[in-house]
Amino acid sequence: MAFSKPHIIVIGAGFTGCALAYDLARRGMDVTVIERGEIASGTSGRTHGLLHSGGRYCVSDQESAVECIQENIILRKIARQCIEFNGGLFVALTEEDAAYAPRFAEGAAACGIEIEQISPQEALRLEPNLNPKVLTVFTVPDGSFDPLRLALAFAASGRYFGAQFHPYHEAQVLVFDGQRRVKGVRVLNRTDGSTREVHGDLVVNATGAWAGKVLAGSGAQVNVTPTPGVMVAYDRRLINRPINRLTPPSDGDIIIPQRRMMVIGTTSYEAEDVDYIPVEDEQVQQMYSDAVALVPGVAGCRMRGAYMSARPLVGKGQSGRSLARTFKCFDHLEADGIDGLVTITGGKATTCRVMAEKTADLVCKKLGLSIACETHAYALRSYRDYYTPNGGRP
Amino acid sequence: MSHERWTVTFIVSRRKGEQPPHFQSFQLEVDPDEYVLDGVERIWAFHDRSLVFRHACHHSTCGACGMLVNGVEKLTCITPIRSVTSNGGKVKVEPLRNFPVISDLSVDMSTFYTRMEETCAPQVVPVRGSALPYEKGLFEQADPAYERLADCIECGCCISACPVAVTTPEYQGPAVLAAAQQAFSLTGHAGLLEKMDGADGVWRCHSGFECTAVCPSNVDPAWRIMDLRRKVIGRRIKRLFGLAK
């Protein structure tokens, strides 16, 4: 009997969907990706682009912090093409901030994050535009990345291994086999209005903040709280590395350089409808004040853009800041008695590769396969290959 | 952002499959300091879910949302509505020129991205030397080890604005020539000069600087094309005297 490759349908081409398509295709499966917009047109594209060292979570959410530093090291190897890696700083501006320093140092050590305390003078030598009143400063291995190009690099690598991407195709409804098993997706081609069914051995819902919405009416459920944050971009590059406020995670606690710009982020609130979330003026003003506190020269910059991104936080009923930043993949057979359906959500851009790895592991387990993940060991294809006619294959 | 409210009519280019393209109007209440892309996204969210457009970062780092706004190439995520119309006015939104249209406002970037890849222009470059030579002193103090994402965000605005790009699809176009110039400056790879020394390379440009006028990201493609011409000529002269292969 000829071996036929399992066919996996991935809904969503954000970081997770693109990384998952690559991982599954690299493990030898047929992969079809259905995406309502273009690559990274939801939460992923609008991330502030911080390659987390894990420092932000090393006290409050160590599981996420460990994931971040491990993936930070891997992404620096496999996705150098779209990462500015100049390190980062955590800086205390007040006595209260400075009092957090011992817990920060302890947390970083516990999570395996390489930090070093440097003098305020040294920090100002490295970053002359930093607030001169800094009291305590640590270096961390942060970086910044181009959000679209990181997603494209995973997608290009997926295409190289044969994954098929269908942008501007919306998953309308899950198709069942008459029992409680998902056999595919009904898909609307948004470029011409036609619909068709795509059938596969398994469907993965990788729609992040939209994960609940995509499952609506299917009988399957997932608890995701869309938790948007507002970011503001300024038109000059006054720093060369991300500057974090040395505090527990809070609003306006980081400025990230990107190209000739800086981005300050972010706020945290809950949204009901993730399809359109307005950017409120008050939050833009708050970001400005927070940015000026870290880098006073922001006051002399022009605002270049203000936008928001809806984090997909797993869980409900607590305030967004206290929800863990880690991810979760669900087999809906266990949770809802529905077979052929897996949801991956939560997590962060920095951890998208391992999110894909764990999801692909679950897919393999469900299919009774044992194929190891290799995505940590090989550099990604050039992001531009995503757009080349044959995916960069000779 | 402000608390001002304007009523603005978005006139949006629509195209689905083989149906003839047409314009469709949407009246929106907007804050004039919102961006054109916010308006387009709201049309999709609240008026017509079939609208197709390309967008990702919403702060000018990715280059996905280039469109024609009232006839001019704009990165719509950083184009305030106030800058292109007035209260009661119109905002006409069309897909970029000189690219095949996929649907509505979205264009096919594959030929463009393939050519960009052929220049091997890196996205990450040393901070020092990453500004244009006439931007005196900018980033010159930076530690040589520092790196940053390059200026070109591959939005295609310059290709759309280029009047000679319409004369032949074979023309490399401003962004690609600019990428070749930057890649050559960083690597000295002479093959790039050979590749761009031809009618579909540096010589088709008519030095009108339309590309530079619309570039949202400080690339100054026209300056780079002129500089690439100097480099191409320099190499020809060297070859003439047997100083280069």
Side-chain angles (χ1 to χ4, degrees):
Chain A
M1 195 176 81
F3 173 74
S4 78
K5 291 179 176 183
H7 179 206
I8 314 298
I9 300 166
V10 177
I11 308 175
F15 290 126
T16 320
C18 291
L20 179 61
Y22 168 47
D23 195 323
L24 292 170
R26 192 164 185 124
R27 293 193 206 203
M29 297 182 214
D30 276 338
V31 182
T32 303
V33 182
I34 307 297
E35 164 56 52
R36 181 170 77 174
E38 235 261 36
I39 303 296
S41 54
T43 301
S44 301
R46 293 181 222 195
T47 171
H48 50 30
L50 173 68
L51 180 73
H52 272 279
S53 60
R56 179 48 72 213
Y57 307 115
C58 70
V59 174
S60 58
D61 182 2
Q62 294 196 340
E63 187 185 356
S64 298
V66 170
E67 279 166 16
C68 282
I69 186 61
Q70 288 172 348
E71 290 304 307
N72 170 307
I73 292 165
I74 293 171
L75 285 182
R76 269 149 55 193
K77 282 189 204 138
I78 69 172
R80 274 311 265 139
Q81 55 178 312
C82 43
I83 296 173
E84 293 183 8
F85 186 71
N86 300 324
L89 299 179
F90 270 74
V91 303
L93 295 177
T94 64
E95 292 297 339
E96 196 189 340
D97 292 354
Y100 180 67
R103 286 164 68 203
F104 175 79
E106 231 171 77
C111 297
I113 305 164
E114 276 185 39
I115 63 165
E116 186 189 344
Q117 187 164 0
I118 59 172
S119 67
Q121 295 76 14
E122 173 64 4
L124 284 158
R125 190 191 65 75
L126 291 172
E127 293 293 352
N129 291 309
L130 191 61
N131 186 335
K133 293 182 187 139
V134 288
L135 300 172
T136 311
V137 183
F138 292 95
T139 62
V140 294
D142 280 344
S144 46
F145 60 84
D146 178 306
L148 175 60
R149 286 170 179 79
L150 181 60
L152 285 175
F154 278 108
S157 307
R159 282 200 68 201
Y160 185 79
F161 284 93
Q164 306 258 352
F165 283 77
H166 298 280
Y168 308 121
H169 282 62
E170 182 163 359
Q172 289 187 309
V173 67
L174 296 174
V175 180
F176 286 82
D177 67 352
Q179 309 295 315
R180 288 176 69 79
R181 186 188 155 76
V182 176
K183 68 169 183 181
V185 183
R186 194 174 79 218
V187 175
L188 166 70
N189 177 347
R190 298 181 61 241
T191 70
D192 65 9
S194 64
T195 57
R196 67 189 161 101
E197 282 190 13
V198 181
H199 294 165
D201 297 295
L202 208 125
V203 174
V204 183
N205 169 20
T207 55
W210 283 264
K213 235 179 148 157
V214 165
L215 297 180
S218 71
Q221 285 186 339
V222 57
N223 256 348
V224 178
T225 305
T227 312
V230 165
M231 284 152 280
V232 182
Y234 295 96
D235 71 340
R236 286 169 66 202
R237 182 187 176 96
L238 297 175
I239 49 174
N240 275 310
R241 71 200 84 206
I243 310 289
N244 302 262
R245 184 94 182 248
L246 183 60
T247 57
S250 70
D251 290 354
D253 57 11
I254 183 161
I255 304 185
I256 300 145
Q258 219 170 60
R259 303 191 193 275
R260 291 191 186 208
M261 294 181 284
M262 295 178 293
V263 175
I264 169 89
T266 172
T267 57
S268 178
Y269 52 106
E270 283 184 24
E272 284 303 316
D273 182 9
V274 289
D275 277 348
Y276 188 82
I277 302 165
V279 173
E280 302 293 345
D281 194 34
E282 291 68 28
Q283 300 200 19
V284 174
Q285 293 304 327
Q286 186 201 337
M287 286 303 98
Y288 172 78
S289 316
D290 292 340
V292 170
L294 285 164
V295 176
V298 168
C301 297
R302 240 172 26 88
M303 190 171 99
R304 192 163 160 88
Y307 58 107
M308 68 82 221
S309 181
R311 308 172 186 87
L313 299 190
V314 178
K316 273 200 198 307
Q318 308 162 42
S319 85
R321 286 278 177 216
S322 64
L323 290 176
R325 295 305 199 260
T326 188
F327 62 89
K328 205 158 167 55
C329 50
F330 308 83
D331 179 350
H332 289 281
L333 183 60
E334 288 167 20
D336 311 296
I338 292 174
D339 202 6
L341 179 66
V342 165
T343 289
I344 168 73
T345 187
K348 308 200 55 68
T350 302
T351 61
C352 69
R353 190 211 61 85
V354 69
M355 292 169 69
E357 175 179 337
K358 298 298 174 200
T359 310
D361 285 348
L362 177 60
V363 167
C364 284
K365 192 176 138 210
K366 278 185 74 70
L367 296 171
L369 299 169
S370 154
I371 311 168
C373 176
E374 293 184 327
T375 58
H376 58 281
Y378 294 92
L380 297 174
R381 305 287 308 174
S382 165
Y383 68 91
R384 295 187 188 114
D385 281 347
Y386 172 74
Y387 289 107
T388 57
N390 57 0
R393 272 184 294 185
Chain B
M1 303 289 132
S2 70
H3 295 290
E4 224 177 315
R5 303 305 286 176
W6 283 8
T7 305
V8 171
T9 305
F10 276 67
I11 304 167
V12 180
S13 175
R14 304 301 308 269
R15 172 136 83 180
K16 292 289 173 216
E18 299 304 309
Q19 296 163 32
H22 64 281
F23 285 98
Q24 190 178 2
S25 295
F26 301 91
Q27 206 174 64
L28 299 187
E29 279 257 304
V30 298
D31 172 343
D33 292 324
E34 282 181 291
Y35 303 98
V36 172
L37 181 59
D38 295 329
V40 171
E41 201 176 19
R42 270 221 298 286
I43 292 170
W44 167 79
F46 301 118
H47 298 268
D48 188 343
R49 285 290 173 131
S50 72
L51 183 65
V52 167
F53 59 105
R54 188 168 170 252
H55 65 126
C57 80
H58 289 241
H59 68 285
S60 78
T61 207
C62 81
C65 69
M67 298 171 204
L68 285 188
V69 179
N70 290 342
V72 181
E73 287 74 13
K74 297 281 184 189
L75 207 55
T76 52
C77 68
I78 55 163
T79 302
I81 292 172
R82 188 191 290 283
S83 70
V84 291
T85 189
S86 52
N87 193 7
K90 291 175 176 149
V91 180
K92 191 175 188 181
V93 192
E94 299 167 84
L96 292 178
R97 291 177 273 231
N98 301 329
F99 291 95
V101 175
I102 293 172
S103 174
D104 298 334
L105 301 170
S106 177
V107 297
D108 179 356
M109 307 290 269
S110 35
T111 303
F112 170 50
Y113 265 78
T114 305
R115 286 178 178 155
M116 289 298 282
E117 183 64 8
E118 282 167 5
T119 69
C120 300
Q123 261 297 310
V124 179
V125 297
V127 172
R128 188 187 280 187
S130 64
L132 290 148
Y134 58 76
E135 299 176 292
K136 288 206 170 33
L138 188 60
F139 303 135
E140 282 317 304
Q141 304 305 314
D143 185 305
Y146 291 168
E147 56 191 23
R148 74 172 178 93
L149 291 157
D151 286 326
C152 183
I153 54 175
E154 302 166 328
C155 61
C157 285
C158 59
I159 309 256
S160 172
C162 177
V164 300
V166 80
T167 60
T168 171
E170 299 306 314
Y171 179 46
Q172 295 280 348
V176 181
L177 294 168
Q181 187 273 350
Q182 187 167 33
F184 180 78
S185 302
L186 289 166
T187 64
H189 179 47
L192 280 166
L193 298 185
E194 311 244 316
K195 186 172 166 60
M196 299 305 170
D197 183 3
D200 295 326
V202 288
W203 304 112
R204 188 171 297 276
C205 168
H206 71 167
S207 317
F209 284 62
E210 286 91 345
C211 49
T212 289
V214 300
C215 175
S217 199
N218 301 90
V219 176
D220 198 345
W223 183 90
R224 290 184 187 273
I225 294 171
M226 298 307 115
D227 187 61
L228 194 58
R229 281 181 176 171
R230 282 190 287 274
K231 291 179 160 74
V232 165
I233 292 287
R235 182 169 161 77
R236 282 198 196 173
I237 291 171
K238 275 190 186 165
R239 275 172 90 171
L240 201 60
F241 291 98
L243 298 170
K245 274 187 212 160

